[in-house]
Amino acid sequence: MKSYYIFTYGCQMNAADSERLAHQLEEVGYIPTDDEKQADLIILNTCAVRENAELKTYGRIGELKHLKAKNPDLIIAVTGCMAQKNQAEMFKRAPHIDIVLGTHNIQHINEMIADVKRTHRHQINVDMDNTVLPELKAKPNGTFSAWVPIMNGCNKFCTYCIVPHVRGREISRPVELIVSDVMALGSKGFKEITLLGQNVNSYGLDFHDGTDFGTLVHALDGIPGIERIRYMTSHPQDMTPDMIRAIGESSNMVTHLHLPAQSGSNRILKKMNRHYTVEHYKELISCARQYIKDVVLTTDIIVGFPGESNEDFEKTVQLLRDVQYDMAYTFIFSKRSGTPAAIMEDQVPEEVKRVRLQQLMDVQNEISLQINKEMENKVFDIIVEGPSQKDPSMWFGRTSGNKMVLFSQEDSISIGDTVEARIDKAQTWVLYGTVVKKGK
Ligand code: SAH
Ligand code: SF4
Ligand code: F3S
């Protein structure tokens, strides 16, 4: 019996791809192992979105060298966005890698492994075909929650971003296939699914027949067993009031809306090639507050984009204050070679970026805490996820708005149960609660 171990970096897309890799490996008899030191095959499914993601992965690849020295039959494969970006250069930097497999080629993993065994040579396939999206089966990692990719790629080309270069053009999966995947998951006991795409709001536009994300939301409403449908990521350019209304009216779409703003300055948004204004963005937020009851809002922000002045930065701080997000994921601009922003003039000094990041986080943490405090003494439905990493004596679950609630575990509660919890104490990142009702 041969065993495999997959390291997954980056976004949920990669998590979903890892499940597709796992399915294929198990089809030919590989079994999973929890210990990479025992594995006959190690896959690193990588991310290239920021430089530190790449550095971390190269560090890990370096650490695997001694395993290869001990076991020359060990096969090491690098898949995902960094494989697509760096291609054969990966072998130069780390000759102990055996396989480099691009984002459009994971369906070839077993052939590549066979080729390595036969030839004992490096194997690479980074071809991109932007016209087809292979349908691949997955081996879900979870027991009650599953990823459902609805599209691949991105056509937006924000000037800072590597994703369109490494994931290719947008291709949507037909509504019927998504519906049948979700029905199958529902009948197997899955109660939560997450629809995945770089821009879920441009879903279906490539069919040119009027299909859009709203169509999908309607088609997925009421599927037996499916209590919650999450979706990410939304893009302010393609998200329409109609879509927001469809989400608000649906019986199973969650109350969490992640809507990356990236900046609060129109001047910077323009340089980022994000085709919306702060004013338009705020209208969408008002719409979400109107149509999605108790909406929980989160965003992504980049600080230190080339040319970002103090004044631009202050506008971003103001946006956080105006919108009152539940949470913001804040990133320091990272140069990605091959993207226009990497060679723009007026790069912001590292020190300034760090100071701005801290300032933004301080503002947001205060807002998050204040919003969470308003949840105290109220009761929310949570789906139980299991023991908390933060405090293993406690368990945790999530609200529809994706807030994490920690509670003391009782014997009669199992992973995947939906329970009602009262919030006793709120912190910035997490809520402490008591289960007041089991079942729904
Ligand atoms: N498709 C999604 C995001 C994908 S990448 C969207 O458009 O919102 C996730 C986040 O990483 C982005 O929202 C952005 O905030 C951040 N990001 C992307 N490229 C970056 C870069 N070069 N430097 C810093 N952050 C970046
Ligand atoms: Fe990157 Fe922009 Fe596409 Fe998001 S929309 S993946 S940030 S290019
Ligand atoms: Fe990273 Fe690729 Fe996702 S670059 S964020 S793993 S699409």
Side-chain angles (χ1 to χ4, degrees):
M1 273 291 195
K2 297 271 184 197
S3 63
Y4 72 93
Y5 187 98
I6 305 180
F7 290 97
T8 306
Y9 301 91
C11 65
Q12 292 84 353
M13 281 300 182
N14 266 11
D17 282 349
S18 288
E19 294 183 345
R20 280 158 183 76
L21 285 162
H23 176 87
Q24 293 178 76
L25 297 173
E26 295 190 17
E27 289 267 279
V28 297
Y30 273 96
I31 52 164
T33 170
D34 293 338
D35 180 5
E36 81 253 28
K37 294 186 198 73
Q38 305 298 327
D40 302 289
L41 167 71
I42 295 178
I43 297 182
L44 297 103
N45 193 12
T46 61
C47 172
V49 77
R50 283 170 290 275
E51 192 182 10
N52 53 12
E54 285 200 50
L55 292 176
K56 209 167 78 183
T57 308
Y58 272 126
R60 177 54 59 92
I61 293 171
E63 286 164 23
L64 296 178
K65 206 168 169 178
H66 75 280
L67 290 182
K68 186 93 177 182
K70 263 197 240 158
N71 172 13
D73 291 334
L74 168 67
I75 294 177
I76 300 178
V78 182
T79 61
C81 298
M82 189 174 155
Q84 189 66 50
K85 174 172 170 278
N86 298 344
Q87 309 198 346
E89 199 190 305
M90 306 272 329
F91 294 131
K92 284 201 195 125
R93 231 173 129 165
H96 59 291
I97 295 171
D98 298 288
I99 297 170
V100 170
L101 199 55
T103 54
H104 285 213
N105 306 291
I106 59 171
Q107 68 277 24
H108 300 306
I109 185 70
N110 286 329
E111 295 157 47
M112 304 289 282
I113 294 168
D115 288 348
V116 170
K117 287 185 180 161
R118 194 168 43 80
T119 65
H120 300 283
R121 300 186 70 141
H122 289 155
Q123 299 295 328
I124 180 164
N125 186 346
V126 288
D127 297 346
M128 272 218 186
D129 184 342
N130 281 314
T131 58
V132 281
L133 181 55
E135 281 293 323
L136 300 174
K137 285 205 178 113
K139 180 207 168 202
N141 255 334
T143 50
F144 68 90
S145 180
W147 310 117
V148 178
I150 62 169
M151 59 200 296
N152 184 54
C154 178
N155 295 350
K156 289 284 183 285
F157 288 94
C158 301
T159 52
Y160 50 81
C161 187
I162 197 74
V163 172
H165 306 266
V166 292
R167 285 267 169 187
R169 297 294 66 72
E170 279 172 7
I171 306 183
S172 303
R173 296 179 63 212
V175 174
E176 312 79 67
L177 287 182
I178 299 169
V179 169
S180 71
D181 275 4
V182 175
M183 293 202 0
L185 287 163
S187 68
K188 283 185 202 143
F190 286 84
K191 49 166 67 174
E192 179 180 274
I193 58 154
T194 305
L195 306 177
L196 295 179
Q198 288 302 344
N199 294 299
V200 292
N201 309 108
S202 35
Y203 172 77
L205 303 185
D206 49 324
F207 299 150
H208 303 287
D209 64 356
T211 303
D212 70 3
F213 187 61
T215 319
L216 187 62
V217 168
H218 283 301
L220 295 173
D221 199 354
I223 291 184
I226 302 298
E227 286 177 24
R228 285 182 184 170
I229 303 184
R230 302 192 176 283
Y231 55 102
M232 63 188 336
T233 301
S234 298
H235 193 296
Q237 188 186 330
D238 299 312
M239 185 161 218
T240 62
D242 281 346
M243 275 176 209
I244 300 176
R245 188 189 301 208
I247 291 166
E249 286 172 357
S250 153
S251 66
N252 49 15
M253 295 295 283
V254 292
T255 59
H256 176 209
L257 170 58
H258 180 64
L259 192 60
Q262 312 298 0
S263 169
S265 156
N266 285 336
R267 203 177 68 84
I268 296 297
L269 286 174
K270 205 163 181 186
K271 286 186 77 177
M272 286 176 162
N273 198 31
R274 302 274 296 183
H275 295 275
Y276 54 87
T277 60
V278 176
E279 293 70 29
H280 175 70
Y281 182 90
K282 284 185 178 168
E283 279 169 26
L284 291 175
I285 294 291
S286 310
C287 217
R289 293 213 186 273
Q290 183 186 343
Y291 293 132
I292 306 173
K293 191 174 170 292
D294 299 326
V295 66
V296 168
L297 292 165
T298 60
T299 196
D300 288 349
I301 301 282
I302 296 176
V303 297
F305 185 83
E308 184 188 68
S309 64
N310 266 330
E311 202 188 339
D312 294 316
F313 174 68
E314 285 307 327
K315 287 183 177 163
T316 300
V317 174
Q318 193 55 45
L319 180 70
L320 297 198
R321 292 198 197 282
D322 291 347
V323 173
Q324 295 280 304
Y325 293 105
D326 290 79
M327 199 176 349
Y329 299 88
T330 46
F331 306 103
I332 284 185
F333 168 71
S334 169
K335 278 190 198 173
R336 305 286 57 213
S337 58
T339 65
I343 48 166
M344 281 181 187
E345 285 169 12
D346 293 335
Q347 296 285 331
V348 176
E350 287 305 315
E351 180 52 24
V352 175
K353 290 186 197 169
R354 269 196 297 274
V355 170
R356 286 183 186 167
L357 181 76
Q358 191 56 51
Q359 208 180 323
L360 205 63
M361 284 180 358
D362 290 346
V363 169
Q364 182 54 44
N365 287 350
E366 208 177 292
I367 298 171
S368 298
L369 182 61
Q370 206 181 335
I371 296 176
N372 285 352
K373 286 244 173 251
E374 284 163 24
M375 294 173 73
E376 284 181 356
N377 300 316
K378 293 186 186 147
V379 173
F380 293 86
D381 281 350
I382 62 171
I383 299 184
V384 176
E385 297 203 8
S388 149
Q389 271 188 351
K390 191 173 171 209
D391 179 352
S393 71
M394 315 272 291
W395 274 34
F396 81 103
R398 282 177 205 274
T399 64
S400 171
N402 208 30
K403 302 253 180 166
M404 211 194 278
V405 181
L406 266 61
F407 58 93
S408 54
Q409 205 259 332
E410 297 170 39
D411 291 342
S412 55
I413 295 178
S414 316
I415 292 174
D417 284 355
T418 305
V419 301
E420 287 182 9
R422 186 190 61 238
I423 307 305
D424 302 319
K425 190 175 172 358
Q427 292 183 350
T428 310
W429 301 99
V430 65
L431 305 155
Y432 288 86
T434 307
V435 173
V436 292
K437 192 170 159 215
K438 293 163 199 162
K440 219 182 123 179

